[in-house]
Amino acid sequence: MKRILLAALLCASTYCIAQETTIDSKKYEPYVNQLGYNLGESKRFVCYGAQNDTPFHIINTTLDVVVFEGKILNNEGWFSEFEPKEAQNEFVIKVDGHGSSVPFFVADHLMETASSKLAYDFFVDARGFEDLSTYDMAAVYGGGPTRDGGAYGLETIFEILQYASNPALFDNWKTEMGDKKVADLIELILWHAEFAYKYVDYNGPVKTRHGTLGYQGQPRMTYDYWNTLDQLAVVCAAYHSFLKPYLAEETYQKYRKVCLDNWEAYDRHKVVRFWTYSTKWVDEGFQEFNEMGNAYGQSVFRNLFMYESERHEKDGSPEKFLKWAQSGASDIIKNWDFNNPRHMWWIRNAEHITPQSLLIFFF
């Protein structure tokens, strides 16, 4: 009886495996960018299982007319030359024998317009406390400023890079923060800058922390206070670019001074490693963390930003910051390992910092 039952189970499992590995290519519909595509840029979709030269049609669903035709090649359909003027109309792609895609748009700067505001709205809404005068570090996971961020979140760096990428776009949105006259993203930058200044030497309790920070054999910390200088450095750089109308010179100078006074004491002049002792199961123990996770380049960022600030000052010392930034870049070239998952993607630890920091050298 047991043998019969075992044989039946084996047959059933074999049947299930066969069912799972038998793919009906006709079931795969066209896959598009679900939101849509930007005008003037490359556009394509994929349709797995579609044979080469299978016709496809783009249909304007608002007018119910075919507006573009093409053929599949290597499971892809390209329609880069499709540049519709009807920005408010939706489209679908139909592939013979494979059905239709989900609806999508094609419009000028569609992707940026739809996603850019969402990117910083998250940080607007998720601040540990809205009012800095009542902010309680011990009540926020990881010490804030944005939910579980801690100072290692480097919000000001990426908010400033985001605003600088397209000021005309972000100046349209002024309803979430402040007096409704200044762009929300600018207000958010200023909020995070003041947070960093207020807690520049904080090393007290936080609500929850998976482990401690500091060099091996040295006193441990629970808060990433050294990164507050990194956040203030980019604000000092942006002051000379676009923040002057919004940031008083007196405030800028106090940010600059606290950076200069603490830069080497906080090891901002060099690449920092072996800072984390973690109790998480995914990375338990002392880890070779390069501050922001294990992403190379944070030292390049901060020193280039201070270089940009100092070169505008009569009493500035930009050369030493450029030298430190060059040393950090050399460290990337020497040690960045494309085959090491910790350097490339490890638990989402800001691997984008590495190429971005190197790119700053070109500006």
Side-chain angles (χ1 to χ4, degrees), residues 220-240:
R220 308 304 297 167
M221 305 179 297
T222 58
Y223 182 67
D224 316 66
Y225 68 85
W226 63 86
N227 280 342
T228 54
L229 298 188
D230 294 46
Q231 303 216 45
L232 292 173
V234 69
V235 175
C236 290
Y239 174 78
H240 298 284

mmCIF file with all atom_site columns, all heavy atoms in Angstrom, residues 220-240:
data_model
loop_
_atom_site.group_PDB
_atom_site.id
_atom_site.type_symbol
_atom_site.label_atom_id
_atom_site.label_alt_id
_atom_site.label_comp_id
_atom_site.label_asym_id
_atom_site.label_entity_id
_atom_site.label_seq_id
_atom_site.pdbx_PDB_ins_code
_atom_site.Cartn_x
_atom_site.Cartn_y
_atom_site.Cartn_z
_atom_site.occupancy
_atom_site.B_iso_or_equiv
_atom_site.pdbx_formal_charge
_atom_site.auth_seq_id
_atom_site.auth_comp_id
_atom_site.auth_asym_id
_atom_site.auth_atom_id
_atom_site.pdbx_PDB_model_num
ATOM 1   N N   . ARG A 1 220 ? 31.424 52.807 22.006 1.00 0.00 ? 220 ARG A N   1
ATOM 2   C CA  . ARG A 1 220 ? 30.354 52.575 21.046 1.00 0.00 ? 220 ARG A CA  1
ATOM 3   C C   . ARG A 1 220 ? 29.351 53.733 21.038 1.00 0.00 ? 220 ARG A C   1
ATOM 4   O O   . ARG A 1 220 ? 29.184 54.446 22.027 1.00 0.00 ? 220 ARG A O   1
ATOM 5   C CB  . ARG A 1 220 ? 29.612 51.270 21.382 1.00 0.00 ? 220 ARG A CB  1
ATOM 6   C CG  . ARG A 1 220 ? 30.523 50.059 21.551 1.00 0.00 ? 220 ARG A CG  1
ATOM 7   C CD  . ARG A 1 220 ? 31.394 49.815 20.344 1.00 0.00 ? 220 ARG A CD  1
ATOM 8   N NE  . ARG A 1 220 ? 30.596 49.507 19.164 1.00 0.00 ? 220 ARG A NE  1
ATOM 9   C CZ  . ARG A 1 220 ? 31.088 49.505 17.921 1.00 0.00 ? 220 ARG A CZ  1
ATOM 10  N NH1 . ARG A 1 220 ? 32.331 49.813 17.689 1.00 0.00 ? 220 ARG A NH1 1
ATOM 11  N NH2 . ARG A 1 220 ? 30.301 49.200 16.904 1.00 0.00 ? 220 ARG A NH2 1
ATOM 12  N N   . MET A 1 221 ? 28.674 53.887 19.906 1.00 0.00 ? 221 MET A N   1
ATOM 13  C CA  . MET A 1 221 ? 27.646 54.909 19.756 1.00 0.00 ? 221 MET A CA  1
ATOM 14  C C   . MET A 1 221 ? 26.365 54.235 19.291 1.00 0.00 ? 221 MET A C   1
ATOM 15  O O   . MET A 1 221 ? 26.388 53.134 18.753 1.00 0.00 ? 221 MET A O   1
ATOM 16  C CB  . MET A 1 221 ? 28.072 55.953 18.718 1.00 0.00 ? 221 MET A CB  1
ATOM 17  C CG  . MET A 1 221 ? 29.423 56.604 19.005 1.00 0.00 ? 221 MET A CG  1
ATOM 18  S SD  . MET A 1 221 ? 29.874 57.810 17.727 1.00 0.00 ? 221 MET A SD  1
ATOM 19  C CE  . MET A 1 221 ? 29.988 56.776 16.274 1.00 0.00 ? 221 MET A CE  1
ATOM 20  N N   . THR A 1 222 ? 25.245 54.932 19.485 1.00 0.00 ? 222 THR A N   1
ATOM 21  C CA  . THR A 1 222 ? 23.972 54.418 18.984 1.00 0.00 ? 222 THR A CA  1
ATOM 22  C C   . THR A 1 222 ? 23.367 55.340 17.927 1.00 0.00 ? 222 THR A C   1
ATOM 23  O O   . THR A 1 222 ? 22.339 55.028 17.355 1.00 0.00 ? 222 THR A O   1
ATOM 24  C CB  . THR A 1 222 ? 22.945 54.261 20.121 1.00 0.00 ? 222 THR A CB  1
ATOM 25  O OG1 . THR A 1 222 ? 22.753 55.532 20.744 1.00 0.00 ? 222 THR A OG1 1
ATOM 26  C CG2 . THR A 1 222 ? 23.422 53.248 21.141 1.00 0.00 ? 222 THR A CG2 1
ATOM 27  N N   . TYR A 1 223 ? 24.018 56.485 17.668 1.00 0.00 ? 223 TYR A N   1
ATOM 28  C CA  . TYR A 1 223 ? 23.471 57.444 16.707 1.00 0.00 ? 223 TYR A CA  1
ATOM 29  C C   . TYR A 1 223 ? 24.573 57.895 15.757 1.00 0.00 ? 223 TYR A C   1
ATOM 30  O O   . TYR A 1 223 ? 25.723 58.093 16.166 1.00 0.00 ? 223 TYR A O   1
ATOM 31  C CB  . TYR A 1 223 ? 22.878 58.652 17.443 1.00 0.00 ? 223 TYR A CB  1
ATOM 32  C CG  . TYR A 1 223 ? 22.265 59.663 16.514 1.00 0.00 ? 223 TYR A CG  1
ATOM 33  C CD1 . TYR A 1 223 ? 21.124 59.345 15.778 1.00 0.00 ? 223 TYR A CD1 1
ATOM 34  C CD2 . TYR A 1 223 ? 22.834 60.914 16.338 1.00 0.00 ? 223 TYR A CD2 1
ATOM 35  C CE1 . TYR A 1 223 ? 20.555 60.261 14.903 1.00 0.00 ? 223 TYR A CE1 1
ATOM 36  C CE2 . TYR A 1 223 ? 22.262 61.841 15.467 1.00 0.00 ? 223 TYR A CE2 1
ATOM 37  C CZ  . TYR A 1 223 ? 21.136 61.500 14.758 1.00 0.00 ? 223 TYR A CZ  1
ATOM 38  O OH  . TYR A 1 223 ? 20.583 62.398 13.891 1.00 0.00 ? 223 TYR A OH  1
ATOM 39  N N   . ASP A 1 224 ? 24.221 58.106 14.497 1.00 0.00 ? 224 ASP A N   1
ATOM 40  C CA  . ASP A 1 224 ? 25.196 58.419 13.448 1.00 0.00 ? 224 ASP A CA  1
ATOM 41  C C   . ASP A 1 224 ? 25.510 59.913 13.402 1.00 0.00 ? 224 ASP A C   1
ATOM 42  O O   . ASP A 1 224 ? 25.402 60.556 12.360 1.00 0.00 ? 224 ASP A O   1
ATOM 43  C CB  . ASP A 1 224 ? 24.653 57.993 12.082 1.00 0.00 ? 224 ASP A CB  1
ATOM 44  C CG  . ASP A 1 224 ? 24.006 56.629 12.105 1.00 0.00 ? 224 ASP A CG  1
ATOM 45  O OD1 . ASP A 1 224 ? 22.962 56.481 12.777 1.00 0.00 ? 224 ASP A OD1 1
ATOM 46  O OD2 . ASP A 1 224 ? 24.530 55.728 11.463 1.00 0.00 ? 224 ASP A OD2 1
ATOM 47  N N   . TYR A 1 225 ? 25.917 60.490 14.523 1.00 0.00 ? 225 TYR A N   1
ATOM 48  C CA  . TYR A 1 225 ? 26.022 61.942 14.576 1.00 0.00 ? 225 TYR A CA  1
ATOM 49  C C   . TYR A 1 225 ? 27.090 62.503 13.643 1.00 0.00 ? 225 TYR A C   1
ATOM 50  O O   . TYR A 1 225 ? 27.018 63.655 13.221 1.00 0.00 ? 225 TYR A O   1
ATOM 51  C CB  . TYR A 1 225 ? 26.272 62.418 16.003 1.00 0.00 ? 225 TYR A CB  1
ATOM 52  C CG  . TYR A 1 225 ? 27.620 62.054 16.584 1.00 0.00 ? 225 TYR A CG  1
ATOM 53  C CD1 . TYR A 1 225 ? 28.726 62.863 16.348 1.00 0.00 ? 225 TYR A CD1 1
ATOM 54  C CD2 . TYR A 1 225 ? 27.780 60.924 17.372 1.00 0.00 ? 225 TYR A CD2 1
ATOM 55  C CE1 . TYR A 1 225 ? 29.964 62.541 16.881 1.00 0.00 ? 225 TYR A CE1 1
ATOM 56  C CE2 . TYR A 1 225 ? 28.997 60.596 17.898 1.00 0.00 ? 225 TYR A CE2 1
ATOM 57  C CZ  . TYR A 1 225 ? 30.102 61.400 17.653 1.00 0.00 ? 225 TYR A CZ  1
ATOM 58  O OH  . TYR A 1 225 ? 31.325 61.068 18.175 1.00 0.00 ? 225 TYR A OH  1
ATOM 59  N N   . TRP A 1 226 ? 28.109 61.710 13.284 1.00 0.00 ? 226 TRP A N   1
ATOM 60  C CA  . TRP A 1 226 ? 29.162 62.243 12.418 1.00 0.00 ? 226 TRP A CA  1
ATOM 61  C C   . TRP A 1 226 ? 28.617 62.628 11.038 1.00 0.00 ? 226 TRP A C   1
ATOM 62  O O   . TRP A 1 226 ? 29.148 63.508 10.368 1.00 0.00 ? 226 TRP A O   1
ATOM 63  C CB  . TRP A 1 226 ? 30.298 61.227 12.276 1.00 0.00 ? 226 TRP A CB  1
ATOM 64  C CG  . TRP A 1 226 ? 29.891 59.940 11.626 1.00 0.00 ? 226 TRP A CG  1
ATOM 65  C CD1 . TRP A 1 226 ? 29.840 59.688 10.288 1.00 0.00 ? 226 TRP A CD1 1
ATOM 66  C CD2 . TRP A 1 226 ? 29.462 58.755 12.271 1.00 0.00 ? 226 TRP A CD2 1
ATOM 67  N NE1 . TRP A 1 226 ? 29.402 58.409 10.057 1.00 0.00 ? 226 TRP A NE1 1
ATOM 68  C CE2 . TRP A 1 226 ? 29.169 57.805 11.262 1.00 0.00 ? 226 TRP A CE2 1
ATOM 69  C CE3 . TRP A 1 226 ? 29.306 58.373 13.608 1.00 0.00 ? 226 TRP A CE3 1
ATOM 70  C CZ2 . TRP A 1 226 ? 28.707 56.514 11.543 1.00 0.00 ? 226 TRP A CZ2 1
ATOM 71  C CZ3 . TRP A 1 226 ? 28.867 57.094 13.872 1.00 0.00 ? 226 TRP A CZ3 1
ATOM 72  C CH2 . TRP A 1 226 ? 28.563 56.193 12.859 1.00 0.00 ? 226 TRP A CH2 1
ATOM 73  N N   . ASN A 1 227 ? 27.540 61.956 10.599 1.00 0.00 ? 227 ASN A N   1
ATOM 74  C CA  . ASN A 1 227 ? 26.985 62.244 9.280  1.00 0.00 ? 227 ASN A CA  1
ATOM 75  C C   . ASN A 1 227 ? 26.233 63.567 9.221  1.00 0.00 ? 227 ASN A C   1
ATOM 76  O O   . ASN A 1 227 ? 25.867 64.024 8.136  1.00 0.00 ? 227 ASN A O   1
ATOM 77  C CB  . ASN A 1 227 ? 26.044 61.122 8.844  1.00 0.00 ? 227 ASN A CB  1
ATOM 78  C CG  . ASN A 1 227 ? 26.799 59.927 8.289  1.00 0.00 ? 227 ASN A CG  1
ATOM 79  O OD1 . ASN A 1 227 ? 27.958 60.039 7.923  1.00 0.00 ? 227 ASN A OD1 1
ATOM 80  N ND2 . ASN A 1 227 ? 26.148 58.788 8.237  1.00 0.00 ? 227 ASN A ND2 1
ATOM 81  N N   . THR A 1 228 ? 25.980 64.175 10.368 1.00 0.00 ? 228 THR A N   1
ATOM 82  C CA  . THR A 1 228 ? 25.324 65.480 10.330 1.00 0.00 ? 228 THR A CA  1
ATOM 83  C C   . THR A 1 228 ? 26.185 66.496 9.579  1.00 0.00 ? 228 THR A C   1
ATOM 84  O O   . THR A 1 228 ? 25.658 67.397 8.924  1.00 0.00 ? 228 THR A O   1
ATOM 85  C CB  . THR A 1 228 ? 25.034 65.992 11.750 1.00 0.00 ? 228 THR A CB  1
ATOM 86  O OG1 . THR A 1 228 ? 26.260 65.987 12.514 1.00 0.00 ? 228 THR A OG1 1
ATOM 87  C CG2 . THR A 1 228 ? 24.007 65.113 12.442 1.00 0.00 ? 228 THR A CG2 1
ATOM 88  N N   . LEU A 1 229 ? 27.501 66.351 9.658  1.00 0.00 ? 229 LEU A N   1
ATOM 89  C CA  . LEU A 1 229 ? 28.382 67.269 8.933  1.00 0.00 ? 229 LEU A CA  1
ATOM 90  C C   . LEU A 1 229 ? 28.275 67.071 7.424  1.00 0.00 ? 229 LEU A C   1
ATOM 91  O O   . LEU A 1 229 ? 28.363 68.043 6.658  1.00 0.00 ? 229 LEU A O   1
ATOM 92  C CB  . LEU A 1 229 ? 29.833 67.087 9.391  1.00 0.00 ? 229 LEU A CB  1
ATOM 93  C CG  . LEU A 1 229 ? 30.139 67.390 10.855 1.00 0.00 ? 229 LEU A CG  1
ATOM 94  C CD1 . LEU A 1 229 ? 31.642 67.349 11.100 1.00 0.00 ? 229 LEU A CD1 1
ATOM 95  C CD2 . LEU A 1 229 ? 29.560 68.731 11.279 1.00 0.00 ? 229 LEU A CD2 1
ATOM 96  N N   . ASP A 1 230 ? 28.094 65.832 7.010  1.00 0.00 ? 230 ASP A N   1
ATOM 97  C CA  . ASP A 1 230 ? 27.925 65.571 5.575  1.00 0.00 ? 230 ASP A CA  1
ATOM 98  C C   . ASP A 1 230 ? 26.692 66.299 5.055  1.00 0.00 ? 230 ASP A C   1
ATOM 99  O O   . ASP A 1 230 ? 26.694 66.858 3.948  1.00 0.00 ? 230 ASP A O   1
ATOM 100 C CB  . ASP A 1 230 ? 27.773 64.069 5.322  1.00 0.00 ? 230 ASP A CB  1
ATOM 101 C CG  . ASP A 1 230 ? 29.026 63.285 5.653  1.00 0.00 ? 230 ASP A CG  1
ATOM 102 O OD1 . ASP A 1 230 ? 29.615 63.523 6.727  1.00 0.00 ? 230 ASP A OD1 1
ATOM 103 O OD2 . ASP A 1 230 ? 29.433 62.436 4.848  1.00 0.00 ? 230 ASP A OD2 1
ATOM 104 N N   . GLN A 1 231 ? 25.620 66.288 5.855  1.00 0.00 ? 231 GLN A N   1
ATOM 105 C CA  . GLN A 1 231 ? 24.389 66.937 5.426  1.00 0.00 ? 231 GLN A CA  1
ATOM 106 C C   . GLN A 1 231 ? 24.542 68.457 5.400  1.00 0.00 ? 231 GLN A C   1
ATOM 107 O O   . GLN A 1 231 ? 23.998 69.135 4.514  1.00 0.00 ? 231 GLN A O   1
ATOM 108 C CB  . GLN A 1 231 ? 23.239 66.525 6.348  1.00 0.00 ? 231 GLN A CB  1
ATOM 109 C CG  . GLN A 1 231 ? 23.028 65.018 6.400  1.00 0.00 ? 231 GLN A CG  1
ATOM 110 C CD  . GLN A 1 231 ? 21.573 64.641 6.509  1.00 0.00 ? 231 GLN A CD  1
ATOM 111 O OE1 . GLN A 1 231 ? 20.727 65.182 5.820  1.00 0.00 ? 231 GLN A OE1 1
ATOM 112 N NE2 . GLN A 1 231 ? 21.273 63.688 7.370  1.00 0.00 ? 231 GLN A NE2 1
ATOM 113 N N   . LEU A 1 232 ? 25.297 69.007 6.346  1.00 0.00 ? 232 LEU A N   1
ATOM 114 C CA  . LEU A 1 232 ? 25.506 70.445 6.367  1.00 0.00 ? 232 LEU A CA  1
ATOM 115 C C   . LEU A 1 232 ? 26.470 70.891 5.276  1.00 0.00 ? 232 LEU A C   1
ATOM 116 O O   . LEU A 1 232 ? 26.357 71.997 4.740  1.00 0.00 ? 232 LEU A O   1
ATOM 117 C CB  . LEU A 1 232 ? 26.023 70.875 7.742  1.00 0.00 ? 232 LEU A CB  1
ATOM 118 C CG  . LEU A 1 232 ? 25.013 70.726 8.884  1.00 0.00 ? 232 LEU A CG  1
ATOM 119 C CD1 . LEU A 1 232 ? 25.673 71.023 10.229 1.00 0.00 ? 232 LEU A CD1 1
ATOM 120 C CD2 . LEU A 1 232 ? 23.815 71.640 8.662  1.00 0.00 ? 232 LEU A CD2 1
ATOM 121 N N   . ALA A 1 233 ? 27.416 70.032 4.905  1.00 0.00 ? 233 ALA A N   1
ATOM 122 C CA  . ALA A 1 233 ? 28.390 70.382 3.867  1.00 0.00 ? 233 ALA A CA  1
ATOM 123 C C   . ALA A 1 233 ? 27.704 70.654 2.536  1.00 0.00 ? 233 ALA A C   1
ATOM 124 O O   . ALA A 1 233 ? 28.048 71.617 1.829  1.00 0.00 ? 233 ALA A O   1
ATOM 125 C CB  . ALA A 1 233 ? 29.424 69.262 3.717  1.00 0.00 ? 233 ALA A CB  1
ATOM 126 N N   . VAL A 1 234 ? 26.740 69.820 2.176  1.00 0.00 ? 234 VAL A N   1
ATOM 127 C CA  . VAL A 1 234 ? 26.060 70.022 0.893  1.00 0.00 ? 234 VAL A CA  1
ATOM 128 C C   . VAL A 1 234 ? 25.180 71.263 0.939  1.00 0.00 ? 234 VAL A C   1
ATOM 129 O O   . VAL A 1 234 ? 24.999 71.951 -0.073 1.00 0.00 ? 234 VAL A O   1
ATOM 130 C CB  . VAL A 1 234 ? 25.253 68.771 0.496  1.00 0.00 ? 234 VAL A CB  1
ATOM 131 C CG1 . VAL A 1 234 ? 24.052 68.566 1.402  1.00 0.00 ? 234 VAL A CG1 1
ATOM 132 C CG2 . VAL A 1 234 ? 24.821 68.850 -0.967 1.00 0.00 ? 234 VAL A CG2 1
ATOM 133 N N   . VAL A 1 235 ? 24.647 71.600 2.107  1.00 0.00 ? 235 VAL A N   1
ATOM 134 C CA  . VAL A 1 235 ? 23.874 72.835 2.245  1.00 0.00 ? 235 VAL A CA  1
ATOM 135 C C   . VAL A 1 235 ? 24.785 74.046 2.042  1.00 0.00 ? 235 VAL A C   1
ATOM 136 O O   . VAL A 1 235 ? 24.412 75.029 1.383  1.00 0.00 ? 235 VAL A O   1
ATOM 137 C CB  . VAL A 1 235 ? 23.181 72.888 3.621  1.00 0.00 ? 235 VAL A CB  1
ATOM 138 C CG1 . VAL A 1 235 ? 22.480 74.231 3.821  1.00 0.00 ? 235 VAL A CG1 1
ATOM 139 C CG2 . VAL A 1 235 ? 22.181 71.750 3.747  1.00 0.00 ? 235 VAL A CG2 1
ATOM 140 N N   . CYS A 1 236 ? 26.003 73.964 2.576  1.00 0.00 ? 236 CYS A N   1
ATOM 141 C CA  . CYS A 1 236 ? 26.964 75.059 2.386  1.00 0.00 ? 236 CYS A CA  1
ATOM 142 C C   . CYS A 1 236 ? 27.320 75.216 0.910  1.00 0.00 ? 236 CYS A C   1
ATOM 143 O O   . CYS A 1 236 ? 27.463 76.339 0.410  1.00 0.00 ? 236 CYS A O   1
ATOM 144 C CB  . CYS A 1 236 ? 28.229 74.789 3.204  1.00 0.00 ? 236 CYS A CB  1
ATOM 145 S SG  . CYS A 1 236 ? 27.992 74.919 4.994  1.00 0.00 ? 236 CYS A SG  1
ATOM 146 N N   . ALA A 1 237 ? 27.461 74.110 0.209  1.00 0.00 ? 237 ALA A N   1
ATOM 147 C CA  . ALA A 1 237 ? 27.759 74.174 -1.225 1.00 0.00 ? 237 ALA A CA  1
ATOM 148 C C   . ALA A 1 237 ? 26.585 74.765 -1.993 1.00 0.00 ? 237 ALA A C   1
ATOM 149 O O   . ALA A 1 237 ? 26.759 75.616 -2.870 1.00 0.00 ? 237 ALA A O   1
ATOM 150 C CB  . ALA A 1 237 ? 28.106 72.781 -1.748 1.00 0.00 ? 237 ALA A CB  1
ATOM 151 N N   . ALA A 1 238 ? 25.377 74.329 -1.662 1.00 0.00 ? 238 ALA A N   1
ATOM 152 C CA  . ALA A 1 238 ? 24.183 74.800 -2.363 1.00 0.00 ? 238 ALA A CA  1
ATOM 153 C C   . ALA A 1 238 ? 23.883 76.260 -2.067 1.00 0.00 ? 238 ALA A C   1
ATOM 154 O O   . ALA A 1 238 ? 23.220 76.933 -2.865 1.00 0.00 ? 238 ALA A O   1
ATOM 155 C CB  . ALA A 1 238 ? 22.978 73.929 -1.989 1.00 0.00 ? 238 ALA A CB  1
ATOM 156 N N   . TYR A 1 239 ? 24.382 76.762 -0.947 1.00 0.00 ? 239 TYR A N   1
ATOM 157 C CA  . TYR A 1 239 ? 24.179 78.180 -0.627 1.00 0.00 ? 239 TYR A CA  1
ATOM 158 C C   . TYR A 1 239 ? 24.713 79.059 -1.747 1.00 0.00 ? 239 TYR A C   1
ATOM 159 O O   . TYR A 1 239 ? 24.105 80.070 -2.112 1.00 0.00 ? 239 TYR A O   1
ATOM 160 C CB  . TYR A 1 239 ? 24.867 78.513 0.692  1.00 0.00 ? 239 TYR A CB  1
ATOM 161 C CG  . TYR A 1 239 ? 24.835 79.988 1.048  1.00 0.00 ? 239 TYR A CG  1
ATOM 162 C CD1 . TYR A 1 239 ? 23.685 80.571 1.566  1.00 0.00 ? 239 TYR A CD1 1
ATOM 163 C CD2 . TYR A 1 239 ? 25.969 80.788 0.866  1.00 0.00 ? 239 TYR A CD2 1
ATOM 164 C CE1 . TYR A 1 239 ? 23.652 81.924 1.888  1.00 0.00 ? 239 TYR A CE1 1
ATOM 165 C CE2 . TYR A 1 239 ? 25.945 82.132 1.184  1.00 0.00 ? 239 TYR A CE2 1
ATOM 166 C CZ  . TYR A 1 239 ? 24.786 82.702 1.688  1.00 0.00 ? 239 TYR A CZ  1
ATOM 167 O OH  . TYR A 1 239 ? 24.762 84.046 2.003  1.00 0.00 ? 239 TYR A OH  1
ATOM 168 N N   . HIS A 1 240 ? 25.834 78.671 -2.321 1.00 0.00 ? 240 HIS A N   1
ATOM 169 C CA  . HIS A 1 240 ? 26.456 79.468 -3.379 1.00 0.00 ? 240 HIS A CA  1
ATOM 170 C C   . HIS A 1 240 ? 25.846 79.173 -4.742 1.00 0.00 ? 240 HIS A C   1
ATOM 171 O O   . HIS A 1 240 ? 26.202 79.822 -5.724 1.00 0.00 ? 240 HIS A O   1
ATOM 172 C CB  . HIS A 1 240 ? 27.959 79.200 -3.407 1.00 0.00 ? 240 HIS A CB  1
ATOM 173 C CG  . HIS A 1 240 ? 28.655 79.595 -2.143 1.00 0.00 ? 240 HIS A CG  1
ATOM 174 N ND1 . HIS A 1 240 ? 28.931 80.904 -1.821 1.00 0.00 ? 240 HIS A ND1 1
ATOM 175 C CD2 . HIS A 1 240 ? 29.102 78.850 -1.091 1.00 0.00 ? 240 HIS A CD2 1
ATOM 176 C CE1 . HIS A 1 240 ? 29.529 80.958 -0.643 1.00 0.00 ? 240 HIS A CE1 1
ATOM 177 N NE2 . HIS A 1 240 ? 29.646 79.725 -0.184 1.00 0.00 ? 240 HIS A NE2 1
#
